[in-house]
Structures are given as structure tokens and as C-alpha cells.
Amino acid sequence: MEALAVRLSGLDPYVDGAIRIVAFYDTLMRRRVDLPALARASAALAECVAGIRLHGTGRTIRFSPGGTGAADPPAPASSTMPVSLDEEEFGTVWLERPDGPLQLDEVLLERLALAVAAVVERYGPAPTTLADPALVELVISSRSEEPARARALRLLGFAPDRPVRVVAVRSRLPLDRIGALICPGRPVKAAPLGDVGAILATTVDPDRFPAGVRAGIGAAGSPDRCWQEARTALRFTGPREPVRHHADLGALALLAEIPEAVARENADVAAIARLVGDPEDLETLDAYCATGSLRRAADLLHLHHSSVARRVEQIGRALGIDLTAPAGLTRARLALGVWRLLDH
């Protein structure tokens, strides 16, 4: 192999330079250097400032050619290269060359990016959003002991002194994409657990969930209780409220404690279940229960309020409930909520 390299380098000065760069980084990796050492060596090789940034932690490392930390503010990057692992970008490397990029800068940055990915994978938590389901389950299981839970959190990249929010998700979209959207630029991990996806994040932006996703967000301080709350909140989601916070459910969360057999035997819930065969009636009842007003329900359904009034009257007769009375509307709301829990 070395003989071939020597022959190639004799044919083309560019090849000679590229081979020397590859050998340079191979030597660094055999010495098991860390990220600052990689940035320092790269700056010396390139004879300009070299930088490394990890998106998840916000960590930035910059060194000057003299081997010292580069002064702020940073100069514009003359060339950059993304750092990826398992096809997910998690960082960037760059050079700050005042007179613009040189011919071999792309080769140098490519090798630097590969070296950074190898160092982070070897010594740090996996930077990708998708995580080992076993680790995630260890964090959120009520049967886990606290030392094991704390160790799993550290392995996933979460600081022990920072709270972790838990989200239960149902979606056809990839979990890693959802996690990156709702918690950009901060630690976030996701894993499928049976029929539900679990997302662990330091913060959650509920407005960033993409369309078509159902999500329940827990509120408890401990991850195991937060997961249970997230699962409960997920059961209360629907077309009009695809994302629910457990903290916003209040006393409604008690409905989730009703045994399934008892709920199905309830006359009001059974009557709601019979409406499933008529999606138009079910949608009308849902809009009316959500608004408590014929006119506001008509606005949601894009119908005249008199048409909605006729539908509500017919639905009330089918249910055996006077939906125009406050008590009847409360019964319908509770029955619809319990039916949704059973449907989930």
C-alpha cells in the first residue's frame, strides 16, 4: 500500500498532498486524541484558524496556527464541512483562511470531520437523535432504580442536574425528525417503544410539531412519572387537538383511570360509539362539544348555524341527551372524552 502511495504521489502533486493529509489524521487517530487536540493540530497543518462545533451541546473549539485558542470574534469561514454520524449531521468543522480556500482544504476538512465523528462516538454520548430503546426504556420505566436511571441519562447525553421532558408520540414521520424539530439545538433522544414513540428532551416547543403527529407531553419532574403522564395526554389527543399537555388536562386526567370494561358499559359512552358509523355526526358533536356554541361550531364546520342546530338536535335524540341543556352538554363532553380514551 505504501509503495502504491509513493507511485501515486510521484504522478500528481495534489495526490501527494492528499495522501499526506490522510496519513496525518490516521496518525492522530492512532494516538486517540481529543477534540481540542484535533482542532489544534488541524490549525497547525492548515496554517490558519481551525474550528469545531457540536450542534447538540453548542460546544465550539477554535485554535490558531500557533497552538493557542483563537481570539474572538471569529473570522468568516473560508470553507466548511458538516460532521455526520449514522447519516445525521451533528456538527461542523471549518477553516478561517483570510485569503480564501486553498486546493487541499476540502480534503483536510473531510478528514477532520471523519476524525471528529470518530472521537465523539468513542468518548462522548451518541450525537444522533435516535437512541438505544433499551436505554430510553431504562430512563422512563417505573421499575428502574435511580442509580441505573441516572447512568442511562448520562449515556444518552443528558446532564444529571437538568430536568428532562418526556413526550409520547404517534406518527408515520421518523422520530428523529420530530425530535430535532421540537427541541432544536439542544439534547434530544428518541426511540420507538412498541406502538408509541418516546422522545426525551431538555425543552419542548409544542408549536413545532409537524402536521399529522399526535403527541402527549408529560409535566412531572421524574422521567418515569413524566412518561406515564405523556401516555395519558396522548390518549386525549384528537383531530382538533393533536398535541396535549398533561398539565392542561386537570381533572379530565381522572377519566383515564376508569377501567375499560366499566367505561364501555356506560350508556352514554356506548351511544357515542354507535355514532362512529356516521363520521359527519361525530364531527358535528365534536365541534359542538369543543365550542359549546352552535354558531362557533358552525364556523368550525363551515356550515350555516341552522344546519348545525338541526344536526345537534338529531344527534341529541340518538344519544338520548338534551344537548342544549348545560347538564346534557357536560354528559356529552365526558362521554366523548371517555370514548376517545377507549378508541386510543
Side-chain angles (χ1 to χ4, degrees):
M1 187 67 183
E2 291 182 1
L4 176 61
V6 170
R7 290 176 61 190
L8 289 173
S9 64
L11 294 175
D12 188 340
Y14 175 85
V15 173
D16 179 45
I19 290 174
R20 291 178 184 276
I21 290 173
V22 171
F24 177 84
Y25 282 100
D26 284 349
T27 301
L28 288 177
M29 296 313 299
R30 284 196 297 270
R31 294 175 179 173
R32 295 179 176 272
V33 297
D34 58 10
L35 294 181
L38 271 177
R40 186 185 298 111
S42 299
L45 178 63
E47 298 182 341
C48 68
V49 173
I52 300 170
R53 180 180 296 111
L54 302 182
H55 300 327
T57 61
R59 183 184 182 189
T60 299
I61 305 167
R62 293 172 61 245
F63 273 91
S64 65
T68 60
D72 287 328
S78 56
S79 50
T80 64
M81 183 77 65
V83 183
S84 302
L85 190 63
D86 296 335
E87 299 183 355
E88 183 176 347
E89 181 182 332
F90 70 90
T92 305
V93 294
W94 70 92
L95 297 177
E96 299 173 20
R97 199 179 293 284
D99 299 325
L102 298 181
Q103 187 180 27
L104 287 168
D105 283 357
E106 185 177 356
V107 177
L108 188 152
L109 286 178
E110 182 180 358
R111 302 308 299 182
L112 174 57
L114 290 172
V116 170
V119 169
V120 172
E121 184 178 30
R122 182 184 300 156
Y123 298 114
T128 54
T129 301
L130 286 178
D132 183 353
L135 278 179
V136 173
E137 193 163 8
L138 192 59
V139 169
I140 62 179
S141 173
S142 59
R143 297 186 299 273
S144 298
E145 297 181 355
E146 287 307 313
R149 193 192 318 277
R151 179 177 179 275
L153 282 169
R154 286 196 300 272
L155 289 174
L156 289 170
F158 293 100
D161 57 343
R162 294 289 302 276
V164 176
R165 305 292 297 278
V166 186
V167 183
V169 175
R170 276 200 176 95
S171 173
R172 294 183 178 181
L173 296 176
L175 280 176
D176 55 341
R177 177 183 167 191
I178 299 172
L181 285 173
I182 66 174
C183 188
R186 298 197 180 183
V188 56
K189 298 294 177 182
L193 299 178
D195 62 337
V196 178
I199 297 178
L200 308 180
T202 51
T203 60
V204 176
D205 186 344
D207 296 328
R208 293 179 64 89
F209 281 97
V213 173
R214 299 285 183 93
I217 304 173
S222 61
D224 54 332
R225 286 184 54 214
C226 197
W227 171 242
Q228 294 301 321
E229 290 182 354
R231 290 291 299 267
T232 298
L234 177 63
R235 295 175 64 192
F236 281 90
T237 59
R240 301 192 191 283
E241 293 181 283
V243 179
R244 298 296 298 266
H245 288 261
H246 186 274
D248 295 337
L249 294 177
L252 287 176
L254 296 174
L255 296 178
E257 306 299 324
I258 301 174
E260 182 177 338
V262 174
R264 291 192 184 280
E265 291 175 358
N266 181 270
D268 287 354
V269 176
I272 293 290
R274 289 193 293 270
L275 286 182
V276 177
D278 192 333
E280 190 176 84
D281 282 353
L282 193 61
E283 184 181 19
T284 300
L285 179 63
D286 178 54
Y288 180 62
C289 287
T291 61
S293 163
L294 292 172
R295 290 188 178 275
R296 289 202 296 272
D299 290 340
L300 281 178
L301 297 169
H302 305 291
L303 295 171
H304 194 274
H305 68 88
S306 60
S307 299
V308 174
R310 285 195 298 272
R311 286 190 188 179
V312 167
E313 183 181 0
Q314 293 170 358
I315 294 169
R317 284 199 299 268
L319 297 177
I321 301 174
D322 182 3
L323 295 176
T324 61
L329 181 57
T330 299
R331 281 176 58 185
R333 282 172 170 163
L334 288 173
L336 189 60
V338 173
W339 174 79
R340 279 191 181 138
L341 292 176
L342 296 174
D343 185 52
H344 271 293

